[in-house]
Amino acid sequence: MTVIAFSEARRRVSVPLAACLLSFAVFWAAQRAAHVSMIDLMVYRAEGATVRAGGDLYALRATAAHLPSTYPPFAALLFTPLTLLDVPSMRALATAGNLVLLLAFVGLSLRLVGHARVECVLWVAAGAVWCEPVWTTVRYGQINLLLAVLVLWDLSRRPAERPGRWAGVGVGLAAAVKLTPALFAVFLLATGLVARCGGRDAGPWLRPARRAAGAFAGATLVAAAVLPYDSWRFWTGMVFRTGRVGRAEETANQALRGVLARLLHSAEPGALWAAAAAVTAVVGLAVAVGAELRGGRAWAVAVCAVTALMISPVSWSHHWVWCVPVVLLLWTRGHRAVAAGATLVFCSYALWWVPHGHGRPELHQDAVDLALSALYPVTGALFLALAWQRCRGRGRARLRP
């Protein structure tokens, strides 16, 4: 019986495995044919080289585009091994690593929504590799998939499953590399506090929140010990200079701030963006906490991810790799038309159909261009509205996790 079961399992997996490997191989060939620059990976390598040489990390300008270092110093420490490889080997390793991380990300996303079968992972990964956020992540050599895996490693289990003594560490380390994932720690803290006020055991949320804070503080202190000058510069100045990351109005900026900059034809939407981001943060966290306390961990995590992307000063299109668990959640919870629409948005590459690049044409967009270049945050806003309506409609009933 064991042999028969193994043979059936192998036959069940062989077709999706072949499809996934073929999709990945064609993807790799397409990336090579497109002569992708992996420009962000080159910046990471330059950061690692600067750390090894004892240089000024935040005076760095790398590649022909003169890109600066924008991440916390802890990230630069992690990038130092890149300097041990020649550039072709580094690029090949980064591509292979991102494809492996995509498999892990899809697997964790499916576990989050309760469908973590191997054949499902392979089929989904074979398609997800072609969506614009994933394509662009690999094209630039970005670390979005690594950060998302760290977060989902913590949060893809429900509190009732006793997540263990390490729960929260992934979120903390991700936030130490790049600040945006810190919203997941805020979500855990807020959920714990609301649970305590309601007379419930707050431990399943406060313990991971404390571990996240501890991991973030530990990693930041390690960086401060190794790079005291750079740490001082970042945490007292560079962290507040959002303009160093890029222009707000750029088409690639799929955050609220980017939408408002293009809509207002202004390089800096200022107070209006701050107000919109604050309202979105409060509403998003409230929906996430409400979903979590009603047993809807998958809804809570997806809502928190979308909220973080929308309120960040800059969310480049490749940061939206979180579209993968969002689409899977919508599909598995019966919102299949919405899931199909979201898939079309993230696989259409439509935001690149508008004029962009030199001369800052994004400041002079017409109505059609404005709509196309706001597709990701509009989709995110609709998802938040759906999650809020679902949570509200269930009242005190438990959501399907």
Side-chain angles (χ1 to χ4, degrees):
M1 292 295 292
T2 303
V3 174
I4 294 174
F6 177 76
S7 178
E8 290 178 352
R10 185 173 62 181
R11 284 197 299 271
R12 190 172 66 249
V13 170
S14 59
V15 173
L17 176 61
C20 184
L21 291 176
L22 176 61
S23 181
F24 281 11
V26 174
F27 175 88
W28 195 313
Q31 289 257 323
R32 288 180 64 87
H35 303 291
V36 296
S37 64
M38 290 198 163
I39 190 170
D40 289 344
L41 183 65
M42 299 304 296
V43 175
Y44 300 158
R45 191 173 193 268
E47 290 181 24
T50 301
V51 169
R52 293 188 63 185
D56 186 340
L57 185 61
Y58 296 104
L60 168 71
R61 293 295 183 273
T63 75
H66 303 288
L67 297 177
S69 174
T70 59
Y71 293 172
F74 180 68
L77 290 181
L78 299 183
F79 296 147
T80 53
L82 296 176
T83 62
L84 304 178
L85 300 170
D86 59 78
V87 171
S89 298
M90 179 186 67
R91 287 177 169 171
L93 185 62
T95 301
N98 265 322
L99 293 177
V100 171
L101 285 168
L102 176 62
L103 284 169
F105 183 47
V106 170
L108 291 170
S109 298
L110 284 167
R111 184 170 74 176
L112 180 70
V113 301
H115 291 265
R117 295 190 297 273
V118 173
E119 57 269 31
C120 291
V121 173
L122 294 170
W123 281 121
V124 172
V129 74
W130 294 99
C131 74
E132 191 274 339
V134 174
W135 168 277
T136 311
T137 287
V138 183
R139 171 191 174 188
Y140 291 150
Q142 260 284 343
I143 58 172
N144 305 304
L145 290 168
L146 173 61
L147 300 180
V149 165
L150 284 172
V151 171
L152 280 189
W153 180 71
D154 278 345
L155 298 180
S156 58
R157 298 181 183 90
R158 296 188 291 277
E161 296 178 1
R162 299 179 65 85
R165 68 180 63 183
W166 295 101
V169 172
V171 170
L173 290 177
V177 173
K178 191 172 182 177
L179 296 178
T180 309
L183 190 67
F184 290 98
V186 177
F187 152 71
L188 289 169
L189 176 62
T191 306
L193 293 176
V194 172
R196 176 172 289 176
C197 291
R200 296 176 57 175
D201 177 18
W205 300 282
L206 292 185
R207 283 192 293 270
R210 285 195 295 267
R211 294 189 194 104
F216 173 82
T220 302
L221 288 173
V222 167
V226 179
L227 303 169
Y229 175 72
D230 292 322
S231 295
W232 175 259
R233 285 198 69 195
F234 180 82
W235 294 109
T236 60
M238 298 301 171
V239 68
F240 304 110
R241 300 181 186 177
T242 57
R244 298 181 75 251
V245 181
R247 295 191 180 102
E249 78 276 2
E250 289 186 45
T251 297
N253 184 11
Q254 293 293 296
L256 282 174
R257 182 166 170 258
V259 173
L260 290 173
R262 293 186 290 271
L263 182 64
L264 299 174
H265 307 295
S266 169
E268 182 49 66
L272 181 59
W273 164 71
V279 170
T280 303
V282 171
V283 172
L285 281 173
V287 173
V289 170
E292 176 75 358
L293 292 176
R294 291 175 174 85
R297 167 55 66 92
W299 286 98
V301 172
V303 166
C304 192
V306 170
T307 301
L309 290 166
M310 293 184 68
I311 67 174
S312 175
V314 174
S315 289
W316 301 126
S317 68
H318 51 79
H319 295 166
W320 283 80
V321 292
W322 284 97
C323 67
V324 173
V326 167
V327 168
L328 290 173
L329 175 64
L330 291 169
W331 184 266
T332 58
R333 298 306 185 265
H335 302 284
R336 297 198 167 181
V338 181
T343 300
L344 179 62
V345 165
F346 290 107
C347 292
S348 67
Y349 296 69
L351 73 160
W352 299 114
W353 301 352
V354 306
H356 60 276
H358 298 295
R360 306 179 75 173
E362 294 95 335
L363 291 176
H364 309 284
Q365 291 182 342
D366 59 23
V368 173
D369 291 341
L370 286 170
L372 290 175
S373 61
L375 280 174
Y376 290 9
V378 167
T379 302
L382 292 174
F383 173 74
L384 293 182
L386 175 62
W388 175 78
Q389 183 182 37
R390 185 183 177 97
C391 187
R392 184 187 179 196
R394 293 297 181 96
R396 295 184 177 275
R398 290 177 62 83
L399 290 172
R400 183 183 172 191

